[in-house]
Amino acid sequence: MKPPHRKKKHYEELMVRMTKAIAAEFYLEAGWYASAIIEDRLVAVLKRSGGALDSKNKPIRMLGPKLNLIRERRKTDALVRVYFPDEILNAIDKWKNERNDLMHAMADASIPLPELDKTAYLLATQGQVLVKSVCRHARQLKNNRHQIPVPAVP
């Protein structure tokens, strides 16, 4: 058996760390691991549906633009449409916005610390559930890509 690819080991380690961070009640840390995993899986989806580079041939760095490009590709790619329906893309977008709101609230002290702690807990635990869903959908796309090729760009 060949050794696991470096990227796969990294991804697996992020999953382990996210789980351990939640168990240790390090919810902010767990939220960032969840964010990294979601971004990684969305890059994989983009690569399997036409590429993960922007118009300047640079990697897409932000979660919002990745979601927007996946939404755009759903129009012409049946597999992306099936495995990344509105429900999952909207859930990722909602979670991303809640993550951003939490970070801004921490910076400007607009939410009391006990509420920040509760929000961080919810972000981490919801992120963990979302990670599992995104990973499952990305894996299904990967496993079925051979059945329906990436549509040609007009």
Side-chain angles (χ1 to χ4, degrees):
M1 179 163 64
K2 75 179 193 179
H5 188 272
R6 181 194 63 79
K7 179 85 168 136
K8 183 178 182 200
K9 286 178 73 171
H10 178 77
Y11 161 78
E12 289 171 349
E13 180 63 23
L14 290 178
M15 295 287 280
V16 168
R17 287 182 180 199
M18 178 184 63
T19 301
K20 286 181 178 180
I22 290 172
E25 299 181 4
F26 296 145
Y27 301 121
L28 291 173
E29 182 177 342
W32 284 110
Y33 286 130
S35 185
I37 295 164
I38 290 168
E39 293 240 14
D40 176 73
R41 295 297 78 207
L42 294 183
V43 168
V45 169
L46 290 171
K47 286 179 178 178
R48 289 189 178 92
S49 64
L53 301 176
D54 66 14
S55 60
K56 296 178 183 172
N57 219 25
K58 300 215 183 257
I60 301 168
R61 296 284 182 197
M62 303 284 289
L63 190 51
K66 288 173 185 154
L67 289 171
N68 291 340
L69 187 51
I70 290 171
R71 282 187 174 101
E72 190 63 30
R73 291 197 180 154
R74 288 177 67 231
K75 295 175 184 175
T76 57
D77 190 323
L79 281 183
V80 175
R81 193 166 41 254
V82 166
Y83 294 119
F84 284 86
D86 284 335
E87 295 80 22
I88 191 163
L89 296 177
N90 292 341
I92 296 167
D93 200 38
K94 180 178 182 284
W95 184 86
K96 169 194 63 89
N97 291 337
E98 290 171 356
R99 178 203 64 194
N100 292 347
D101 290 346
L102 174 62
M103 293 304 128
H104 291 294
M106 289 175 67
D108 64 19
S110 61
I111 297 177
L113 288 175
E115 192 175 330
L116 281 173
D117 293 339
K118 179 182 176 187
T119 304
Y121 165 79
L122 292 171
L123 183 76
T125 55
Q126 291 167 357
Q128 187 177 40
V129 171
L130 189 57
V131 159
K132 290 177 183 178
S133 178
V134 172
C135 290
R136 183 177 64 254
H137 287 271
R139 191 170 37 256
Q140 289 171 324
L141 178 73
K142 175 185 176 183
N143 291 342
N144 292 293
R145 179 83 281 174
H146 69 280
Q147 295 177 8
I148 302 174
V150 175
V153 178

